[in-house]
Each structure stands twice: as C-alpha cells, then as structure tokens.
Amino acid sequence: MGHEDLLRKVNEYREKSIEGGGRDKIEQQRQKGKLWVRDRINRLLDPDSFVELQWVRTHRSTYFGLDKVKYYGDGVVAGYGTIDRRLVYIYAQDFTVLGGSIGEAHGEKIARLIELAVETGAPVIGLYDSGGARIQEGVASLHGCGRIFYSNVKASGVVPQIAVVMGPCAGAAAYSPALMDFVIMVKSSYMFITGPEVVKAALGVDVTFEQLGGANIHASTSGVAHFITEDEESALSLVRKLLSYLPSNNMEEPPRVPSEDPVDRRMDEIYEVVPTDPVKPFDVKKVISMIVDEGDFLEVHEHYGRSAVVGFGRIGGYTVGIVANQPAVNAGVIDIDASNKIARFVRFCDSFNIPIVTLVDTPGFMPGVDQEHGGIIRHGAKVLYAYAEATVPKITLVMRKAYGGAYIAMGSLSLGSDVNLAWPTAEIAVMGPEGAIRILYRKELAQAPDPEELARRKLAEYREVFANPFRAAELGYIDDVIDPALTRLRIYQVLEALKSKREEFLGTVPKKHGNTPL
Ligand code: HXC
C-alpha cells in the first residue's frame, strides 16, 4: 500500500468519526435549534486552533447491540486549542451518539484530557449534552463517569474548569459540572439526577424536565448554575469573557488588561446613588460599576442568593473578585443562599490568585425559623471559613450598616482582611440602633412616663457612639475613612500595595486540609 492509500484509510476513519451518530441525528439536533458539536468547538476556539485527540477510540462493550456498531470518538469530541491565544483543553459531548451517554471510553477520554490540562496548567472547558451513564455498558460506564469526577476533583484549584450545559445533562453527567468552578446553562437545557420517570415511580408526582431542572430553576433556586444564557452562541462568548479574567492555573496571576479608564477617576455620582440614611435601599451594582474599569462587571450567580452580589471586574487592569451585600434586596441581609454564594466565590478567588474586594452594607444574618432550621449556622460558617482561609489580598470597604456576625463575616479585620476602609456613612455595631435600644433599656422603656421620648434620646445616644466609622477606626478596626468619591482610587492604591503579598495561612501547623463546614 502506498502513502496515498494509507492516508485514504485515515480519512475513512476520520469521516466516520466526524459523522458521529449519523446525518439524520445531526439534522434532528439542528431542528431542535442546537449547534453541531464540532461547530460548538470551532465557534468557541480561535480559528483553526482545535486539535482533536482520540477520535478513533470507541467502546468495547458487546451487550444490547453494541457489538454491531462502532462510534469512533465514542460520543465525545476532545482535544485542545486556544482562546485569545491561550491554551485550553476542551471536550464536547455529542448527543447524536447514544444520546451523548457516558461509556467507559467516553469517560476515560474526558478524564485523560483533564489530566493533560492539569499537567500543562491550562483551563478545562466541558460542553455537556448527555443522557448520563450509558445504560448498555453497565458498571464500565459507571467507571467512566467516576473517572471524570475523580479528575475534576484533582483539577479543582489547579486549573479553572468551566462547564457549559447545552442540552440534557442527566444523572451522572450532572455531577461533573457540579464539581467544576462555573456552570453556564443555555436557557433550553436542563439538568437532573433522577428524571421525571423516576420521580413518578418513586413519588407518584408528574413533573416536566423544566420544572425539575430547567436552566431557570438551577440559576435561581438550586444555585447549580452560575450563569444562564439565551442561546448557545452567547454561552460560548461568555466562556471567552469569563476566561479573560482568570489565570490559566493556580501558579499564574490573572492577565492584566490595560484600560483607558483613569484609576483616579472620581465617582461623584456616588452621592446621588447612596442615601446617607442606612435604611434606604440602593442598588450596589451601580456602585460596583462606578468602581471597576469602564463599568464592566461580570456578575456570577446573578439570580441566586440575590441579597449578595459577586463577580469579576478590573481595577487599573487588575482582575478583582467583588463581593457585596445588596441593600436593594432584603436590605442586604445574609441568608443561606447568599452565604453559599459568597463562600464559594471567595474560595474560587483564593484558589486562583484573585484579590477580593468586599463592599459591606448588611443588617446581619437572616432571622427566622426557616433559616435556622435550614442551617444558617452551618451555611453562614462557610463565609467565615472562606474569608479566614483566603490568603489573597483582601480589601474591605464598609459602606453603611455592618452589624453583628455579618460585620465579622464580610471580610473584617478580625478574619484576616488586609486593609479595611470605611465611608463616613459606615455604622459598625453589634446590632442596629432600634433593636439595641429595646434590649438595653427594656425595663426603663416599660416604666417611663414618656417611652417614646426616652427611646428617641437613647437612640440618639447610641447613634452618636456607634452609628459612624470613628469608634471602629479609633480601635484600629478600620484603616482609613475615605471620601466615597475616591473609592476607585483608594482601592486601586491598596491593590498596588498588596500586590506582593505573601501570606502563609496562620494555621501553619501541618495538616492535610481543613474541614470546611459543608
Ligand atoms: C444509553 C441513552 C441514554 C443513556 C439517552 N440515550 N440516554 N442511551 N444510555 N443513559 C439514547 C436514547 O436511547 C436514544 O437512542 C437517544 O439517546 C436519544 O434519546 P431520546 O430519549 O430519544 O432523546 P430525548 O427525548 O431528547 O430525551 C433525552 C433524555 C432521555 C432526557 C436524556 O433520553 C433520558 O431520560 N435518558 C435517560 C436519562 C437518565 O435517567 N440518565 C441517568 C442514567 S443513570 P436512539 O437510538 O433511540 O436514538 C446515571 C448514573 C446515576 O447516569 C449516577 C447518579 C449520580
């Protein structure tokens, strides 16, 4: 056989591999409004940069008709390429091949790719479209799923991992995204562990895919999804944007992106946006967009735990992770969902050398039977743990209310924050004035001839003492009381000053790892 014949043979294999589950099935997917698996990859990566690996690999099962077919590639297209000229590893499940189900070879392919990404320090991107563990392969398919989970966990904290869910993501397929750093769901996609048929059999209840695990549910209620997008195209451009803020691995700094926005730009509109009366709400996102370069803020978990806001921005070109209470939603109270959202984000930033800027305006942790029974103690503890554990530069700005445990939790000096700023409107106290007066003067108020007059007097006294940043600054818990209009500049200066921070976590006693409250 000459070279030409040999290459023809390669091409025959190649064509079969590219065909996936066949032209009919590709067409069916297209009619559902879904992109072809290879188009997804090509649209995400820089042009012509994709190099595919293991496109010949196939299953070795012989049960339930699998002895009669060979799907080269085994239902997942995997390889590497570049995004903005930076190396990334990528795999994309092909629903046309046995519903994108995860067989032994499929799982091993993904796991090996993630291992290569870890070894080379490059981000992992997974495009999910799968019916879960491949039923025909039995335990071998479960092993394939387990191998993916294992490598996701090993990669965690070493390279960023981003999952995009573009179709069904069922059973075992759902746990891989859940182990990654960010989950982006296209609006029409859905994720579940047990499907509607199992729910019906177990509980006698009828549910649709959307009700069970549609993108809206996961973005707002379960918190599984960090982002939701209208369509596949916008999900792919979101991956590119998200990566632009992140380093390729935990040994690198995030890329610095030059900006025309002057670091000493005053924020005079702040006086209009933030009321001095701490009970009047404002939208903290307006403040964030004034602080960051060009007002460009990528919010994470926008629809989940909405009394807190987290996300990425840049200040003077440096990536920062911003964590803020949102006074426009429940006065910025920290509830269970907000706790989970903040803690997870802080831990991500800490893993990948991203400084954390915390903006505080919160009346405290959310009161109530539901919250206590749901474990606000356990979930709130995650926030304390995450801040205390983080060794990246931590800058906190107390904007207005910072009461009680929530003051401590939100990046206080006590938990190891590096520089703590306050606006003149800051109020740091064990609790808000009204509650404090009622507890301190319960008996006096009950007996007073004019309780309202007494309450007014005591409130004024309390405000004089605590409803300002100066007691905290006198005691050294606040480093600087700043003009709100200079916030961007002041944070930038602190970032510059902390750039060379090297902190060994105080718990230098050798240990395997801590026991984060989960
Ligand atoms: C093998 C599968 C499959 C699977 C789908 N297919 N899921 N093959 N193993 N897990 C095949 C179908 O037989 C069908 O083949 C093709 O994929 C397309 O599936 P359809 O049902 O026609 O598509 P659609 O109507 O769009 O529904 C998609 C779906 C549904 C919602 C994903 O297929 C489904 O419910 N699948 C099972 C989901 C599930 O329960 N997975 C959990 C598996 S257990 P043909 O040849 O007809 O085109 C698991 C381990 C649990 O993952 C671990 C928990 C952590």
Side-chain angles (χ1 to χ4, degrees), residues 25 32 95 98-99 101 131-136 142 168 170-172 175 190 192-193 209:
K25 289 223 156 82
K32 286 188 179 166
F95 194 80
L98 302 168
S101 57
R134 187 174 298 156
I135 297 164
Q136 297 90 320
L142 295 178
Y175 274 128
Y190 49 93
F192 58 80
I193 293 299
F209 287 124

Side-chain angles (χ1 to χ4, degrees), residues 208-448:
T208 63
F209 287 124
E210 288 70 24
Q211 289 166 334
L212 197 56
N216 277 323
I217 295 290
H218 286 310
S220 61
T221 308
S222 74
V224 169
H226 301 83
F227 302 95
I228 179 169
T229 65
E230 272 305 310
D231 51 32
E232 296 192 10
E233 291 281 358
S234 28
L236 297 172
S237 42
L238 182 57
V239 173
R240 296 178 70 98
K241 178 156 173 102
L242 181 55
L243 279 175
S244 77
Y245 291 100
L246 312 181
S248 292
N249 59 65
N250 65 332
M251 307 290 280
E252 289 181 9
E253 301 294 322
R256 192 169 177 195
V257 177
S259 160
E260 300 287 299
D261 198 353
V263 289
D264 59 356
R265 170 172 52 75
R266 285 182 61 88
M267 299 169 26
D268 286 315
E269 322 87 274
I270 199 92
Y271 305 121
E272 308 300 319
V273 170
V274 182
T276 50
D277 180 350
V279 299
K280 290 209 175 118
F282 67 92
D283 183 356
V284 79
K285 290 186 209 175
K286 288 190 182 157
V287 176
I288 294 171
S289 58
M290 282 181 226
I291 294 175
V292 295
D293 293 351
E294 278 111 26
D296 192 9
F297 176 59
L298 178 62
E299 188 172 358
V300 175
H301 260 152
E302 181 182 353
H303 307 288
Y304 172 73
R306 290 172 50 249
S307 60
V309 173
V310 303
F312 299 107
R314 292 190 188 88
I315 301 177
Y318 294 117
T319 293
V320 290
I322 295 180
V323 178
N325 305 116
Q326 172 56 294
V329 177
N330 287 338
V333 78
I334 305 179
D335 60 11
I336 290 171
D337 289 354
S339 299
N340 280 309
K341 165 168 159 173
I342 293 172
R344 182 159 174 78
F345 185 72
V346 165
R347 299 196 88 224
F348 175 82
C349 291
D350 189 44
S351 302
F352 290 103
N353 312 319
I354 298 173
I356 298 161
V357 175
T358 304
L359 308 176
V360 189
D361 188 352
T362 175
F365 283 100
M366 179 82 161
V369 173
D370 287 355
Q371 291 286 310
E372 295 291 350
H373 289 196
I376 184 79
I377 297 174
R378 187 161 51 85
H379 298 290
K382 295 175 190 174
V383 181
L384 302 169
Y385 201 104
Y387 270 105
E389 190 184 38
T391 58
V392 286
K394 292 178 280 190
I395 304 160
T396 299
L397 169 68
V398 181
M399 300 182 293
R400 299 193 311 180
K401 308 173 296 296
Y403 297 153
Y407 156 74
I408 306 171
M410 292 296 292
S412 66
L413 194 90
S414 336
L415 290 188
S417 168
D418 296 299
V419 175
N420 286 47
L421 311 173
W423 285 347
T425 42
E427 294 188 7
I428 305 174
V430 172
M431 60 172 71
E434 280 77 15
I437 295 310
R438 251 181 278 126
I439 293 171
L440 281 182
Y441 300 103
R442 186 183 303 142
K443 278 194 212 113
E444 289 85 337
L445 286 168
Q447 288 158 9

